[in-house]
Amino acid sequence: MKATIYDVAKEAGVSIATVSKVINGKGKISEKRRKEVLKIMERLQYQPSMIASALTGKKTYSIGLLVPDISNPFFSEIARSVEDQGHQLGYSLIICSTDNKDERIEKYIALLKQKKVDGIIIGTGSDQLDVLNSLSGTMPIAAIGREVPDVDMHTVVVDDYEGGRMAARHLLELGHTQFAVLSESLKLISSRERLRGFSQMLMEAGIEWSESMLKICDYRVEDGKRQALELFRQDSVPTALFCCNDMLAVGAYQAAKQEGIRIPSDLSVVSFDNTILATVTDPPLTSIAQPMEHMGKLCVDLLVDQLKIGNVAVMKQRVVLRPELVERHSTAPL
Amino acid sequence: MKATIYDVAKEAGVSIATVSKVINGKGKISEKRRKEVLKIMERLQYQPSMIASALTGKKTYSIGLLVPDISNPFFSEIARSVEDQGHQLGYSLIICSTDNKDERIEKYIALLKQKKVDGIIIGTGSDQLDVLNSLSGTMPIAAIGREVPDVDMHTVVVDDYEGGRMAARHLLELGHTQFAVLSESLKLISSRERLRGFSQMLMEAGIEWSESMLKICDYRVEDGKRQALELFRQDSVPTALFCCNDMLAVGAYQAAKQEGIRIPSDLSVVSFDNTILATVTDPPLTSIAQPMEHMGKLCVDLLVDQLKIGNVAVMKQRVVLRPELVERHSTAPL
DNA sequence: CTGAAAGCGCTTACAG
DNA sequence: CTGAAAGCGCTTACAG
């Protein structure tokens, strides 16, 4: 049987209260006793049960991470940084792939509540705010990479608007004048903002931009390809394409290849996210990088700070990080 | 305050034992009482605390997943299937990226023990078997995608040897005679087996194969590139390259591009794993697919079966799944 | 069919 | 500085 606090106490000839105190470094314990107890803990290979301490101490030292799909490179990279920072601070990570389905979101949230996780990081979208809203009252939550309007929580995002501008600026500097955009659903604030930044920048450059050059896709590569094909088969062919994420850019690559359009000589492509995919395509993608590592770390820090304060009603921060243009070889002068 | 079992019991005018029984469907309860209690649970929005039940009922309904790096596409795809099947069966998934470092492995394992997870799925390598061996005595564990010799646990792997053979056969059928291999460390059994299958097939075809055409890489794309460059700069240039995983193939692609070697016309490439990366490269990779979804599901099933039986000493299975050649466009007739 | 009571392994006032 | 005792929210024999 595994050693319990009772075994240690008995062996050391002290009370379990004393042992508990040396474990947690609380209260005053004479140095002599402390060392004795520590030695015995060592000898018995005693590891406190986190279950028992959770039941009394109120913390489980685990947090949940809600993402659409852990197998999507963007989210797996986010997950890695969240995991690392969490681990650093003593928290384990429970991953929850929601497929952006409300049903799965609700089920996972109920589960996380039952497991009494200390907090939840939300990287998934939901039309149904009720769930999140009711959450924010009862449990520390924070959002990463997603804006969730009207929900009171810490939020860490990249400056999507500025990212859109950067993409446009880069393309403009290369001399392009015929633009197209592949975007995810405009229900997502991030997509809207990227598009808005992009359009705004073009407008400032005096470029008019037609609605017909915007295609909305779901999140899959295939859909990116399909929409890109439609784009390429229209009358006016763009020379520059902005894709709202790397996955869509991959779809666009496939479409371009199929149509005999060469990147970057015929078509310059800028994508968003800068996941591993951006380094794997040929040519490698010029991408607006989200600082995923930084975002994960920061989000965990904010959440954990909130846990410590213990007050759910702390001032919530909205941290907006700067994106960065990573130039590779998918863009070229006109 | 959240409702507890006491609140429900009081409200229903029964004992907490009775409530417990209706929650768990154990024992005999009159239908009338059952319904009453259920109704009250509903009204109070009562959710049993999994912490408390874990402390008494002995199960936490969580499992740990040890992988080298969740941000690596292969492991994130594995994780997704493990998560889904686990969730299906009522288990949450705690992810642990080990970077294949013994120190991290040990720390994570200690943590998972303290959290009393019901079982651990091991997808990470370790030279230090002691840790795993001592584990296998105390807690249900299962391995996925890795062979860990001398440790008594369920194992789900792909037939690496056969995969290597398939790669060679495919290349032979295309008429190639000059082969090279990019492998991960041969400390990994899976790498050894892939190589062995590959060599064996060549040998059977009467092809002699020189040691100098084998390069060992670490797990990174950059290293794959570096080693591939060395390969390409040798006297005898191969026309067919087998890469032990998709990441290394990506490195090889980069090297080939740099050297002006065209794929597949100058060089045919077969990789292993068939992650998302294989679909993203240009040309898309012909890859020996591991049935990751099936592997994850199966591994969870085996582990959970073992949990139910409760007997750590059940007969351990070693399930070997067939790989599959997925032809894309990185291979061509000589 | 139902409930009183002990116990899971801790933490936390409180008293000394 | 140290310990007895209550309590966290459940489950599980056991008795009735």
Coordinates of all heavy atoms in Angstrom, one line a residue, chain A residues 182-221:
Chain A
L182 N -8.9 34.8 -48.7 CA -9.6 33.6 -48.3 C -9.7 33.7 -46.8 O -8.7 33.8 -46.1 CB -8.7 32.4 -48.6 CG -9.2 31.3 -49.6 CD1 -9.9 31.9 -50.8 CD2 -8.0 30.5 -50.0
S183 N -10.9 33.8 -46.3 CA -11.1 34.0 -44.9 C -12.0 32.8 -44.3 O -12.7 32.2 -44.9 CB -11.9 35.3 -44.6 OG -12.2 35.4 -43.3
E184 N -11.8 32.7 -43.0 CA -12.7 31.8 -42.3 C -14.0 32.6 -42.0 O -14.0 33.8 -42.2 CB -12.1 31.4 -40.9 CG -11.5 30.0 -40.9 CD -11.3 29.5 -39.5 OE1 -10.2 29.8 -38.9 OE2 -12.1 28.7 -39.0
S185 N -14.9 31.9 -41.4 CA -16.2 32.5 -41.2 C -16.1 33.9 -40.5 O -15.3 34.1 -39.6 CB -17.1 31.6 -40.3 OG -18.1 32.4 -39.7
L186 N -16.9 34.9 -41.0 CA -16.8 36.2 -40.4 C -17.5 36.3 -39.1 O -17.6 37.4 -38.5 CB -17.3 37.2 -41.4 CG -16.4 37.3 -42.7 CD1 -16.9 38.4 -43.6 CD2 -15.0 37.6 -42.4
K187 N -18.1 35.2 -38.7 CA -18.6 35.2 -37.3 C -17.5 35.3 -36.3 O -17.7 35.8 -35.2 CB -19.3 33.9 -37.1 CG -20.7 33.8 -37.6 CD -21.4 32.6 -37.0 CE -22.5 32.0 -37.9 NZ -22.8 30.6 -37.6
L188 N -16.3 34.8 -36.7 CA -15.2 34.9 -35.8 C -14.6 36.4 -35.8 O -14.3 36.9 -36.9 CB -14.1 34.0 -36.2 CG -14.4 32.5 -36.1 CD1 -13.3 31.7 -36.7 CD2 -14.6 32.1 -34.7
I189 N -14.5 36.9 -34.7 CA -14.1 38.3 -34.6 C -12.7 38.4 -35.2 O -12.4 39.3 -35.9 CB -14.0 38.8 -33.1 CG1 -15.4 38.8 -32.6 CG2 -13.3 40.1 -33.0 CD1 -15.6 39.4 -31.2
S190 N -11.8 37.4 -34.9 CA -10.5 37.5 -35.5 C -10.5 37.6 -37.0 O -9.7 38.3 -37.6 CB -9.6 36.3 -35.0 OG -10.2 35.1 -35.4
S191 N -11.3 36.8 -37.6 CA -11.4 36.8 -39.1 C -11.8 38.2 -39.5 O -11.3 38.8 -40.5 CB -12.4 35.8 -39.6 OG -12.0 34.5 -39.2
R192 N -12.9 38.7 -38.9 CA -13.4 40.0 -39.3 C -12.3 41.1 -39.2 O -12.1 41.9 -40.0 CB -14.5 40.4 -38.3 CG -15.9 39.8 -38.7 CD -17.0 40.8 -38.3 NE -17.1 41.1 -36.9 CZ -17.6 40.3 -36.0 NH1 -18.1 39.2 -36.3 NH2 -17.7 40.7 -34.7
E193 N -11.6 41.0 -38.1 CA -10.5 42.0 -37.8 C -9.4 41.9 -38.8 O -8.8 42.9 -39.3 CB -10.0 41.9 -36.4 CG -11.0 42.4 -35.4 CD -11.2 43.9 -35.5 OE1 -10.3 44.7 -35.4 OE2 -12.4 44.2 -35.9
R194 N -9.0 40.7 -39.1 CA -7.9 40.5 -40.1 C -8.3 41.1 -41.4 O -7.6 41.8 -42.1 CB -7.6 39.0 -40.3 CG -6.9 38.5 -39.0 CD -6.7 37.0 -39.1 NE -6.4 36.5 -37.7 CZ -6.2 35.3 -37.3 NH1 -6.2 34.3 -38.2 NH2 -5.9 35.0 -36.1
L195 N -9.6 40.8 -41.8 CA -10.1 41.3 -43.1 C -10.2 42.8 -43.0 O -9.8 43.5 -44.0 CB -11.5 40.7 -43.3 CG -12.2 41.1 -44.6 CD1 -11.3 40.8 -45.8 CD2 -13.6 40.5 -44.7
R196 N -10.7 43.3 -41.9 CA -10.8 44.8 -41.8 C -9.5 45.5 -41.9 O -9.4 46.5 -42.6 CB -11.5 45.1 -40.4 CG -12.0 46.6 -40.3 CD -12.8 46.8 -39.1 NE -12.0 46.6 -37.8 CZ -11.3 47.6 -37.3 NH1 -11.3 48.8 -37.9 NH2 -10.7 47.4 -36.2
G197 N -8.5 44.9 -41.2 CA -7.1 45.5 -41.3 C -6.6 45.5 -42.7 O -6.1 46.5 -43.3
F198 N -6.9 44.4 -43.4 CA -6.4 44.2 -44.7 C -7.1 45.2 -45.7 O -6.4 46.0 -46.4 CB -6.7 42.8 -45.2 CG -6.0 42.4 -46.5 CD1 -4.7 42.0 -46.6 CD2 -6.8 42.5 -47.7 CE1 -4.1 41.6 -47.8 CE2 -6.2 42.1 -48.9 CZ -4.9 41.7 -48.9
S199 N -8.4 45.3 -45.6 CA -9.1 46.2 -46.5 C -8.8 47.7 -46.2 O -8.6 48.4 -47.1 CB -10.6 46.0 -46.2 OG -11.0 44.7 -46.3
Q200 N -8.7 48.0 -44.9 CA -8.4 49.3 -44.5 C -7.1 49.8 -45.1 O -6.9 50.9 -45.7 CB -8.3 49.4 -43.0 CG -8.0 50.8 -42.4 CD -9.3 51.6 -42.5 OE1 -10.4 51.1 -42.4 NE2 -9.1 52.9 -42.6
M201 N -6.1 48.9 -45.0 CA -4.8 49.3 -45.6 C -4.8 49.5 -47.1 O -4.2 50.5 -47.6 CB -3.8 48.1 -45.3 CG -2.3 48.4 -45.6 SD -1.6 49.6 -44.4 CE -0.8 50.7 -45.5
L202 N -5.6 48.6 -47.7 CA -5.7 48.8 -49.2 C -6.4 50.1 -49.5 O -6.0 50.9 -50.4 CB -6.5 47.7 -49.8 CG -5.9 46.3 -49.8 CD1 -6.7 45.3 -50.6 CD2 -4.5 46.3 -50.2
M203 N -7.4 50.4 -48.7 CA -8.2 51.6 -49.0 C -7.3 52.8 -48.8 O -7.3 53.7 -49.6 CB -9.3 51.7 -48.0 CG -10.5 52.5 -48.4 SD -11.7 52.7 -47.2 CE -12.2 50.9 -47.0
E204 N -6.5 52.8 -47.8 CA -5.5 53.9 -47.5 C -4.6 54.1 -48.7 O -4.1 55.1 -49.0 CB -4.8 53.7 -46.2 CG -5.6 53.9 -45.0 CD -4.9 53.5 -43.7 OE1 -3.7 53.5 -43.7 OE2 -5.6 53.3 -42.7
A205 N -4.3 53.0 -49.4 CA -3.4 53.0 -50.5 C -4.1 53.4 -51.8 O -3.6 53.4 -52.9 CB -2.7 51.7 -50.7
G206 N -5.4 53.6 -51.6 CA -6.2 54.0 -52.8 C -6.6 52.9 -53.7 O -6.9 53.1 -54.8
I207 N -6.6 51.7 -53.1 CA -6.9 50.6 -53.9 C -8.4 50.2 -53.7 O -8.8 50.0 -52.5 CB -6.0 49.4 -53.6 CG1 -4.6 49.8 -53.7 CG2 -6.4 48.2 -54.4 CD1 -3.8 49.1 -54.9
E208 N -9.1 50.0 -54.7 CA -10.5 49.5 -54.5 C -10.5 48.0 -54.6 O -9.7 47.4 -55.3 CB -11.4 50.1 -55.5 CG -11.0 49.9 -57.0 CD -11.9 50.7 -57.9 OE1 -13.2 50.5 -57.8 OE2 -11.5 51.5 -58.7
W209 N -11.4 47.5 -53.9 CA -11.3 46.1 -53.6 C -12.7 45.5 -53.7 O -13.6 45.9 -53.0 CB -10.7 45.8 -52.3 CG -10.4 44.4 -52.0 CD1 -9.5 43.7 -52.7 CD2 -10.9 43.6 -51.0 NE1 -9.5 42.4 -52.2 CE2 -10.4 42.3 -51.2 CE3 -11.9 43.8 -50.0 CZ2 -10.7 41.3 -50.3 CZ3 -12.2 42.8 -49.2 CH2 -11.6 41.5 -49.4
S210 N -12.9 44.5 -54.6 CA -14.2 44.0 -54.8 C -14.6 42.9 -53.9 O -13.8 42.0 -53.6 CB -14.3 43.6 -56.3 OG -15.2 42.5 -56.4
E211 N -15.9 42.9 -53.5 CA -16.4 41.8 -52.7 C -16.2 40.5 -53.3 O -16.1 39.4 -52.6 CB -17.9 42.1 -52.5 CG -18.3 42.9 -51.3 CD -17.9 42.3 -50.0 OE1 -18.5 41.2 -49.7 OE2 -17.1 42.9 -49.3
S212 N -16.2 40.4 -54.6 CA -16.2 39.2 -55.3 C -14.8 38.5 -55.1 O -14.7 37.3 -55.4 CB -16.4 39.3 -56.8 OG -15.4 40.1 -57.3
M213 N -13.9 39.2 -54.6 CA -12.6 38.7 -54.4 C -12.4 38.1 -53.0 O -11.3 37.8 -52.5 CB -11.5 39.7 -54.7 CG -11.5 40.2 -56.1 SD -11.5 38.8 -57.3 CE -9.8 38.6 -57.5
L214 N -13.5 38.1 -52.2 CA -13.4 37.5 -50.9 C -14.2 36.2 -50.8 O -15.3 36.2 -51.3 CB -14.0 38.5 -49.9 CG -14.4 37.9 -48.5 CD1 -13.1 37.5 -47.7 CD2 -15.2 38.9 -47.7
K215 N -13.5 35.2 -50.4 CA -14.2 33.9 -50.3 C -14.2 33.4 -48.8 O -13.1 33.5 -48.2 CB -13.5 32.8 -51.2 CG -13.6 33.1 -52.6 CD -15.0 32.9 -53.2 CE -15.1 33.3 -54.6 NZ -16.5 33.3 -55.1
I216 N -15.3 32.9 -48.4 CA -15.4 32.5 -47.0 C -15.3 30.9 -47.0 O -16.0 30.3 -47.7 CB -16.7 32.9 -46.4 CG1 -16.9 34.4 -46.5 CG2 -16.8 32.4 -44.9 CD1 -15.9 35.2 -45.8
C217 N -14.4 30.4 -46.1 CA -14.2 29.0 -46.1 C -14.5 28.4 -44.7 O -14.5 29.2 -43.7 CB -12.8 28.6 -46.4 SG -12.0 29.6 -47.7
D218 N -14.7 27.2 -44.6 CA -14.7 26.6 -43.2 C -13.2 26.4 -42.9 O -12.3 26.9 -43.5 CB -15.5 25.3 -43.2 CG -15.0 24.2 -44.0 OD1 -13.8 24.2 -44.3 OD2 -15.7 23.3 -44.4
Y219 N -12.9 25.6 -41.9 CA -11.6 25.5 -41.4 C -10.7 24.5 -42.1 O -9.5 24.3 -41.8 CB -11.6 25.2 -39.9 CG -12.2 23.8 -39.6 CD1 -11.4 22.7 -39.5 CD2 -13.6 23.7 -39.5 CE1 -12.0 21.5 -39.3 CE2 -14.2 22.5 -39.3 CZ -13.4 21.4 -39.2 OH -14.0 20.2 -39.1
R220 N -11.3 23.8 -43.1 CA -10.5 22.7 -43.7 C -9.7 23.0 -44.9 O -10.1 23.9 -45.7 CB -11.5 21.5 -44.0 CG -12.0 20.8 -42.8 CD -13.1 19.9 -43.2 NE -14.1 20.7 -44.0 CZ -15.2 20.1 -44.6 NH1 -15.4 18.8 -44.5 NH2 -16.1 20.9 -45.2
V221 N -8.6 22.4 -45.1 CA -7.8 22.6 -46.3 C -8.6 22.4 -47.5 O -8.5 23.3 -48.4 CB -6.6 21.6 -46.3 CG1 -5.9 21.6 -47.6 CG2 -5.6 21.8 -45.1

